[in-house]
Amino acid sequence: MSTGVKALLALGATAILSLTLFAQQYTWHEPEIRWYGNQYHGRTTANGEIFNENALTFASNWYPFNTRLKILHNGKSVSVRCNDRGPNEIELSKGAFGKIEELKKG
């Protein structure tokens, strides 16, 4: 993969994120993966962009800005870019989450 970043995300009772970042392997056990959007739409993100809840982005307290991940779930996938900070390792935008799961589940 040209970006050097690859991720696998399984949503459920316990979500597991397996990531290869610059040839190093990391694994996290996340109790739930969330989405965010409505209340932040139109506000400035931590990297200075205007947040668009429909864009394919994510917030993270761990990944550097502009990190790109491919999220896989139940045969669906979405490619996302980090543009904000959040309380979790990955918090998908409403638009990104909706590509792989029903919004009511996040």
Side-chain angles (χ1 to χ4, degrees):
M1 192 167 175
S2 61
T3 62
V5 177
K6 177 168 66 167
L8 172 65
L9 177 66
L11 299 175
T14 301
I16 298 172
L17 174 65
S18 222
L19 167 73
T20 303
L21 178 61
F22 304 111
Q24 296 180 20
Q25 183 71 33
Y26 299 90
T27 302
W28 287 274
H29 299 279
E30 186 78 27
E32 75 180 52
I33 300 301
R34 302 178 195 153
W35 64 269
Y36 74 115
N38 303 334
Q39 71 274 27
Y40 298 103
H41 187 74
R43 293 187 182 183
T44 304
T45 64
N47 78 347
E49 295 178 17
I50 301 301
F51 179 67
N52 178 349
E53 68 181 9
N54 301 307
L56 302 180
T57 59
F58 72 99
S60 174
N61 64 5
W62 192 85
Y63 293 101
F65 291 134
N66 295 314
T67 297
R68 295 184 183 276
L69 299 177
K70 184 174 186 178
I71 308 296
L72 306 170
H73 174 61
N74 288 343
K76 297 178 182 178
S77 69
V78 63
S79 294
V80 293
R81 179 180 58 85
C82 182
N83 73 335
D84 207 356
R85 293 288 170 243
N88 302 305
E89 279 151 49
I90 292 184
E91 206 165 321
L92 296 174
S93 66
K94 179 180 178 181
F97 192 91
K99 296 275 186 192
I100 59 172
E101 187 60 86
E102 296 176 43
L103 293 177
K104 66 183 179 182
K105 294 186 179 182

